[in-house]
Amino acid sequence: MTAPTRVHTFTDDALADHDAVELARLIRTGELSAAEAEAAAVARMRQVAPALRALAYEAYDAPRRADGDGGLLHGVPTVLKDNTHLRGMPTNHGSDAIRALPAKRDGRYTEQFLSAGVTVLGKSRMPEFGFNASTEFRSAPPTPNPWNTGHSVGASSGGSAALVAAGAVPIAHANDGGGSIRIPAAAAGLVGLKPSRGRHIAGDTTRTLPIDIISEGVVTRTVRDTATFHAALERSWRNPALPPLGLVEGPARRRLRVAMIVESVTDAVVDTQTKAAIERTATLLEEQGHSVEPISIPVDARFGDDFVRYWSMLAFLAGNLGRLTIDPSLDASLLDGLTNGLRRRFTSGGWRATPAALLRLRGATAAYASVFDHHDVILCPVVAGVTPPLGELSPTVPFDELIERLLRHVAFTPLQNVSGAPAISLPMALSEEGLPIGVQLSAAYGDERTLLELAYALEEQSPWPRIQDRIQDQPTG
């Protein structure tokens, strides 16, 4: 077995170590052509393919380019996650059980995503239906973490996170139904904003959900890339029910009231390195002039169990109705152990408690919102510990053990999915093993601006660890 290694592609080519905003500027001014950026990205993606296996579908010979020269990120190479329809590319939702034909049309969200001006070079890998917190599979090799290929890159947007962290593309599509932007961002040392529910056009999957928990977004290496992407999409379509976001370009001067939470919705124990990262971030925030106050988690003690019931119901619907709602090629006999375990959990009696669980989950929105009567931001972990070794969260692990491991790990992110509020993962530290540790900031519904302004300030105050730098040169938790 090959020893775990770091994998990155940063070199002196057309992409260099530019973020998406700088690449777009170079293309706009003619200092670099979109074709040169595209070719460099293809070369980098081919370079990391054997180690990272991050693509579900390659479109190097037939990329989807933006129409015209509009869009704040015109010409910037990227990938789309494998649960979003793009005309001419298949959508297999990370599952062996689906053998989809190329999509005949773009998904509901895809047009808005493309309005940023990006060039799509393929589809990124994800675990089956996005149910897992690691990009691992029933029978195929996993997508590992570029920082250490023996560890998980998180999920479900793990393929996107691996490619951005390794420098193959500067920005990549991600979406989040329980932490699927923030968890891979934390694992891979990236910025991952889950926007407010309704901030963008909803993807196709959300039409069938009893509670809409999915938000669309990206993973990036800089705050300004994330801010610019969301500003670009707002130019295409803006939800009139939400305050406009606009282009957030730096920190604000406001002094904020920060609530710090280190207890989880699943009673998981937060490891010492993650606690240290939270405490260090709290200190940095206080140095900026903000006040930080520890508080208790603001939801019903049954929240974790209720979310698992909803999760199980979604697996049941995917397995039992997926040929109608997902893809007609779906073969339920090929579903992985996690999906099947969740289905069994639902059919063996979990369905009886589901109506009450859904009612309590809807009630969590008001409980979460009440925090912001006295605070502006919540500071907490993204997950309960450093990203685990590959295999620990594999769908081949017996279900009862796997679900317990997942509940111990995915202990903070689902609350914002249920409430619809925005949250951002920031790479605030490295573990003793040189793996990134993400810290989560969340705000009131519709207040992404505060999160981006605060993220700018933290990025300026304590620059993110870089995969291309030596471990000993990095800040640690």
Side-chain angles (χ1 to χ4, degrees):
M1 185 175 181
T2 305
T5 58
R6 279 193 183 189
V7 175
H8 73 80
T9 59
F10 290 102
T11 190
D12 188 20
D13 61 5
L15 297 185
D17 63 354
H18 301 314
D19 67 358
V21 170
E22 177 61 8
L23 275 179
R25 186 194 70 79
L26 292 171
I27 292 168
R28 187 168 55 252
T29 60
E31 298 171 67
L32 179 70
S33 71
E36 289 172 318
E38 181 182 313
V42 169
R44 289 188 178 197
M45 292 165 81
R46 285 179 168 147
Q47 180 184 336
V48 299
L52 298 184
R53 303 174 293 274
L55 277 186
Y57 180 81
E58 297 177 0
Y60 303 154
D61 296 328
R64 179 70 175 274
R65 301 183 180 94
D67 296 329
D69 58 359
L72 295 178
L73 299 177
H74 176 73
V76 174
T78 190
V79 294
L80 195 70
K81 190 174 171 180
D82 187 32
N83 61 359
T84 302
H85 293 311
L86 184 65
R87 188 180 66 249
M89 300 185 197
T91 307
N92 288 311
H93 298 269
S95 178
D96 290 343
I98 297 176
R99 292 291 182 269
L101 297 172
K104 294 181 180 179
R105 59 184 66 86
D106 292 336
R108 300 172 69 214
Y109 167 73
T110 306
E111 183 177 352
Q112 189 181 20
F113 179 80
L114 294 172
S115 73
V118 293
T119 296
V120 179
L121 297 174
K123 292 284 196 76
S124 60
R125 287 179 95 197
M126 58 179 286
E128 187 165 271
F129 304 126
F131 291 149
N132 206 344
S134 187
T135 308
E136 301 184 55
F137 305 93
R138 179 180 70 93
S139 59
T143 295
N145 194 320
W147 287 80
N148 182 323
T149 55
H151 283 254
S152 172
V153 73
S156 64
S157 308
S160 289
L163 290 169
V164 175
V169 292
I171 187 171
H173 173 236
N175 44 35
D176 193 316
S180 296
I181 292 173
R182 293 159 289 162
I183 293 171
L190 304 175
V191 176
L193 172 67
K194 185 205 84 69
S196 298
R197 179 187 297 134
R199 176 62 72 182
H200 304 312
I201 294 172
D204 298 273
T205 306
T206 62
R207 291 177 297 172
T208 60
L209 297 182
I211 299 176
D212 179 5
I213 57 174
I214 299 175
S215 292
E216 303 288 341
V218 287
V219 286
T220 70
R221 295 191 298 269
T222 65
V223 176
R224 72 173 183 173
D225 275 3
T226 293
T228 301
F229 171 82
H230 289 282
L233 265 61
E234 193 173 62
R235 293 185 176 190
S236 169
W237 177 85
R238 185 178 77 78
N239 186 343
L242 287 170
L245 180 57
L247 179 58
V248 182
E249 297 185 90
R253 294 183 177 274
R254 291 182 298 151
R255 294 297 172 253
L256 303 173
R257 302 162 298 170
V258 179
M260 183 172 71
I261 296 175
V262 291
E263 61 181 3
S264 76
V265 296
T266 63
D267 294 323
V269 176
V270 178
D271 75 12
T272 56
Q273 295 192 83
T274 302
K275 279 185 180 177
I278 295 296
E279 290 165 359
R280 175 175 177 267
T281 304
T283 298
L284 292 172
L285 292 171
E286 289 175 334
E287 289 174 358
Q288 292 177 18
H290 308 299
S291 63
V292 180
E293 176 191 7
I295 68 166
S296 298
I297 196 159
V299 292
D300 189 294
R302 294 168 290 184
F303 180 91
D305 289 339
D306 289 342
F307 191 82
V308 173
R309 288 190 181 95
Y310 186 43
W311 189 12
S312 300
M313 185 187 75
L314 297 182
F316 173 83
L317 294 174
N320 292 62
L321 300 177
R323 295 186 69 177
L324 298 174
T325 60
I326 298 173
D327 192 274
S329 72
L330 191 147
D331 180 352
S333 69
L334 297 177
L335 294 171
D336 72 19
L338 177 57
T339 302
N340 278 325
L342 289 167
R343 291 170 71 200
R344 288 193 302 271
R345 189 177 179 124
F346 183 77
T347 56
S348 66
W351 62 271
R352 294 186 182 90
T354 299
L358 292 177
L359 188 62
R360 285 192 296 270
L361 287 174
R362 292 189 179 100
T365 299
Y368 175 85
S370 68
V371 174
F372 300 100
D373 293 339
H374 305 287
H375 299 89
D376 302 298
V377 172
I378 297 174
L379 165 68
C380 70
V382 177
V383 287
V386 178
T387 192
L390 287 171
E392 185 168 316
L393 300 180
S394 167
T396 61
V397 172
F399 175 74
D400 288 344
E401 178 60 27
L402 177 57
I403 195 70
E404 288 303 316
R405 292 179 183 181
L406 285 168
L407 291 174
R408 291 196 297 266
H409 188 60
V410 184
F412 291 89
T413 51
L415 178 54
Q416 287 78 28
N417 296 93
V418 171
S419 68
I424 192 168
S425 174
L426 300 175
M428 294 303 300
L430 285 182
S431 73
E432 294 170 357
E433 303 82 10
L435 287 159
I437 298 174
V439 165
Q440 181 171 231
L441 298 168
S442 55
Y445 181 66
D447 193 17
E448 289 92 333
R449 172 170 287 274
T450 292
L451 297 181
L452 289 168
E453 290 170 344
L454 202 52
Y456 269 117
L458 287 167
E459 183 182 39
E460 181 181 294
Q461 184 182 17
S462 181
W464 315 140
R466 304 194 322 157
I467 197 171
Q468 63 267 48
D469 291 341
R470 293 180 302 165
I471 294 176
Q472 57 263 40
D473 292 337
Q474 307 289 345
T476 62

